[in-house]
Amino acid sequence: MGGHKACHCCGLVHQVPELSRGQVAKCSRCATTLARFRNRGASSRQTALAAFAAFLFFWPAILMPILEVEKFGLRHRSSILTGTVELLKEGEWFVGMVVLLFSVVFPLTKIMMLLELSLVGMLKRSHRAWTYRLMESLGRWSMMDVLLLAFLVMLIKLGSLVEFHLGPAVFAFVACVSLSMLASLLFDPHAIWDEG
């Protein structure tokens, strides 16, 4: 559907016509792509599929053992959730709450909101703007990908001192992070306003 659209790079407002397959609208000032033809229904379905797959992988990623540490013959297996609970039990409230919020609560909430927004044809739409703004804010604070990098850095730095074995949750964790990022890339915010 055509309409006015501001360039997100230079701010110039354009009248964008309705595009057909293969067409792209570019800014006349800076040549930034303003819009391209997208099958909005297909985009929403792809986002929903990627978000649902991320949701399925999320649970084994946080519940199954992600790391087994061996030091002086002692082995300790831990999942993200049990590691967080252990931090809280040992009185490390600040670190435990940071890990819980940024690696469990925020990513799960973002995935659920992506699912909701990509299935707007099936759900009530009275709170779309609020949901979209909240999802955008949470997306900046969900740190599953940062946690994954922290694990890799830790493995490299401490590899000579402590023996690490990756647990089965690592594969689910990588899949969850990848699918969540893919869902975010596939998500077309214009679709939530154009439907119905």
Side-chain angles (χ1 to χ4, degrees), residues 59-114:
W59 300 107
I62 65 163
L63 296 174
M64 293 174 69
I66 196 161
L67 207 57
E68 184 178 284
V69 180
E70 186 174 344
K71 186 176 181 181
F72 307 125
L74 298 172
R75 288 189 174 199
H76 179 70
R77 292 174 65 151
S78 184
S79 69
I80 292 174
L81 202 55
T82 57
T84 305
V85 170
E86 285 172 16
L87 283 170
L88 294 173
K89 279 183 181 175
E90 291 174 10
E92 297 288 342
W93 287 94
F94 179 74
V95 176
M97 290 306 292
V98 165
V99 173
L100 182 66
L101 285 174
F102 292 90
S103 300
V104 179
V105 176
F106 289 170
L108 178 61
T109 307
K110 182 187 174 188
I111 290 168
M112 297 300 294
M113 288 181 167
L114 269 169

Side-chain angles (χ1 to χ4, degrees), residues 158-171:
L158 298 176
S160 57
L161 303 173
V162 181
E163 190 175 338
F164 290 98
H165 303 283
L166 297 177
V170 168
F171 304 107

Side-chain angles (χ1 to χ4, degrees), residues 4-84:
H4 289 87
K5 193 163 188 179
C7 174
H8 66 273
C9 185
C10 71
L12 185 65
V13 177
H14 295 77
Q15 172 69 38
V16 179
E18 188 171 337
L19 300 174
S20 57
R21 188 174 297 279
Q23 286 187 314
V24 176
K26 291 192 176 278
C27 176
S28 59
R29 182 186 290 165
C30 66
T32 299
T33 299
L34 296 173
R36 63 179 69 240
F37 174 80
R38 290 182 91 167
N39 182 334
R40 295 261 162 89
S43 174
S44 292
R45 284 191 300 276
Q46 290 168 348
T47 302
L49 281 171
F52 184 68
F55 177 77
L56 292 179
F57 279 110
F58 179 81
W59 300 107
I62 65 163
L63 296 174
M64 293 174 69
I66 196 161
L67 207 57
E68 184 178 284
V69 180
E70 186 174 344
K71 186 176 181 181
F72 307 125
L74 298 172
R75 288 189 174 199
H76 179 70
R77 292 174 65 151
S78 184
S79 69
I80 292 174
L81 202 55
T82 57
T84 305

Side-chain angles (χ1 to χ4, degrees), residues 104-176:
V104 179
V105 176
F106 289 170
L108 178 61
T109 307
K110 182 187 174 188
I111 290 168
M112 297 300 294
M113 288 181 167
L114 269 169
L115 266 173
E116 181 183 352
L117 289 171
S118 61
L119 297 172
V120 289
M122 301 176 201
L123 301 169
K124 290 183 181 178
R125 296 167 282 185
S126 59
H127 63 287
R128 285 181 192 172
W130 179 84
T131 305
Y132 179 65
R133 282 190 209 106
L134 184 59
M135 186 198 73
E136 284 287 298
S137 298
L138 287 178
R140 294 185 194 105
W141 294 101
S142 94
M143 301 285 183
M144 286 188 88
D145 45 348
V146 175
L147 187 62
L148 183 61
L149 283 172
F151 274 126
L152 294 174
V153 169
M154 184 181 69
L155 290 173
I156 293 166
K157 295 267 186 190
L158 298 176
S160 57
L161 303 173
V162 181
E163 190 175 338
F164 290 98
H165 303 283
L166 297 177
V170 168
F171 304 107
F173 194 83
V174 170
C176 179

